[in-house]
Amino acid sequence: MESVRLYLLTSLLLLIILSLGSNLTYARTTPEDILNVQRETYNSRVSSYSPESKQKLETYSQKIADLNSEATSEYEDEMVHQGQILDEYLRRQGILERQADGITRNLSDPAENARYWLTYAHEAVAYQAAKVYVINLTGQTNVNRDITSQINILQSDLSILRGKVIKSQNIIKTLITKK
Amino acid sequence: MKKTVFLVIILSIIMGFAIFFIDKLINKKDLGLIKPSISFSNLAKPTSTPSPTPKPPLLPITESSNLEYELNRLSPPDYQTEFNKLKSDVNGD
């Protein structure tokens, strides 16, 4: 009886330790880890590709990064300009902005609402600018398709980002043109 | 009895850690140890490509600026042409 009890106790403890161990692994996964895994997968798969395919992948990876950089740089300029316009408008109207504590928001206040969406879009631009695109490889015969797929992902991301920039612009426009 | 329980606990902990590390070694997974974080300076820096038609620069807003006009001047591009060209280049190569 005692040996059975011991056996059960041992099994239970082992189960607890194992589950804790596996949880430790996933609890520490960061976006950086995901990117590292993507890079490792890319490097391991591309090692078996022909030199021409490798060169093509490298070329288009760079072009994707360049286009992302160009677009986010343009959107950044627009966001800075939107910010200047909002600042100047508030100054002219003599509107003092409430010191935000980062927790409470009063989006019914037009000025605070405009500031909120401006900041939201501006942060989204910065996030997109820092994004690293790693082509998901499915096979050497699919190189063109894999590259095109990655271009489509970038296009979708930039389309969403552009929507945020335009939304911010429209909200500021509503504020400025309000009679 | 107490000694037995104590030994079981210790053994379980040791076995748990052993299984954890062996699993990592076999599957060559990251051990989750602290490693240097990627700084953005380590990322591939995109080469600057000159734009074919440079846009007029956005002038800074001043006290005399027409804010509505300045706001209407802003028009975030969709880069549709660039994306189409990139995709056609991929398949043309």
Side-chain angles (χ1 to χ4, degrees):
Chain A
M1 195 60 196
E2 198 175 309
S3 60
V4 171
R5 246 186 276 159
L6 272 173
Y7 171 80
L8 285 170
L9 187 60
T10 313
S11 307
L12 182 64
L13 280 168
L14 210 61
L15 218 66
I16 290 166
I17 299 293
L18 277 173
S19 64
L20 279 174
S22 60
N23 280 341
L24 277 169
T25 309
Y26 296 113
R28 297 186 63 163
T29 304
T30 63
E32 180 188 317
D33 294 327
I34 295 169
L35 182 59
N36 286 339
V37 167
Q38 286 176 342
R39 278 192 171 131
E40 278 170 25
T41 309
Y42 177 89
N43 289 332
S44 70
R45 287 179 184 170
V46 84
S47 59
S48 61
Y49 283 30
S50 66
E52 293 79 24
S53 295
K54 282 182 188 175
Q55 184 56 50
K56 186 166 189 175
L57 285 164
E58 210 178 293
T59 303
Y60 282 95
S61 290
Q62 191 58 58
K63 285 186 178 185
I64 287 168
D66 287 349
L67 184 52
N68 187 39
S69 176
E70 185 186 334
T72 51
S73 180
E74 174 70 37
Y75 293 159
E76 168 68 19
D77 289 345
E78 299 230 343
M79 291 317 303
V80 166
H81 210 68
Q82 282 186 30
Q84 288 174 353
I85 291 169
L86 180 60
D87 290 343
E88 179 60 22
Y89 172 79
L90 295 177
R91 189 194 68 77
R92 289 181 191 180
Q93 299 299 313
I95 297 171
L96 283 172
E97 286 186 88
R98 183 178 71 93
Q99 275 293 336
D101 59 7
I103 301 165
T104 53
R105 294 193 278 269
N106 179 21
L107 296 186
S108 57
D109 176 47
E112 194 164 333
N113 185 51
R115 181 67 70 190
Y116 171 81
W117 289 106
L118 175 83
T119 308
Y120 177 80
H122 206 166
E123 285 176 356
V125 171
Y127 179 82
Q128 179 62 35
K131 229 171 174 178
V132 176
Y133 287 89
V134 180
I135 298 174
N136 180 33
L137 301 177
T138 60
Q140 192 169 214
T141 52
N142 300 330
V143 165
N144 287 353
R145 195 171 71 185
D146 293 342
I147 293 172
T148 306
S149 177
Q150 195 62 57
I151 293 169
N152 286 335
I153 291 171
L154 173 64
Q155 188 171 15
S156 171
D157 288 347
L158 288 182
S159 174
I160 292 168
L161 181 63
R162 181 171 175 265
K164 291 175 183 175
V165 171
I166 290 172
K167 178 172 182 170
S168 169
Q169 185 179 343
N170 289 338
I171 288 171
I172 295 172
K173 194 184 289 186
T174 305
L175 176 70
I176 287 173
T177 55
K178 187 179 68 174
K179 299 281 182 262
Chain B
M1 179 68 181
K2 277 186 188 172
K3 221 186 260 182
T4 313
V5 170
F6 181 71
L7 280 170
V8 163
I9 291 168
I10 297 293
L11 188 68
S12 301
I13 292 169
I14 291 168
M15 283 177 71
F17 275 109
I19 290 167
F20 174 74
F21 281 111
I22 289 167
D23 177 55
K24 294 297 173 211
L25 283 169
I26 289 171
N27 295 320
K28 290 183 182 161
K29 284 181 199 166
D30 182 21
L31 288 176
L33 301 174
I34 297 169
K35 50 186 187 297
S37 60
I38 292 176
S39 72
F40 290 119
S41 61
N42 292 344
L43 295 171
K45 289 193 171 60
T47 56
S48 58
T49 49
S51 152
T53 50
K55 281 178 63 173
L58 295 168
L59 299 172
I61 303 297
T62 63
E63 289 172 0
S64 57
S65 301
N66 182 335
L67 297 182
E68 206 173 324
Y69 168 76
E70 289 295 331
L71 200 56
N72 287 333
R73 276 186 63 197
L74 298 177
S75 175
D78 60 6
Y79 294 95
Q80 194 60 46
T81 313
E82 285 81 354
F83 278 113
N84 290 342
K85 186 178 180 309
L86 207 54
K87 285 181 215 179
S88 66
D89 284 350
V90 169
N91 295 311
D93 277 357

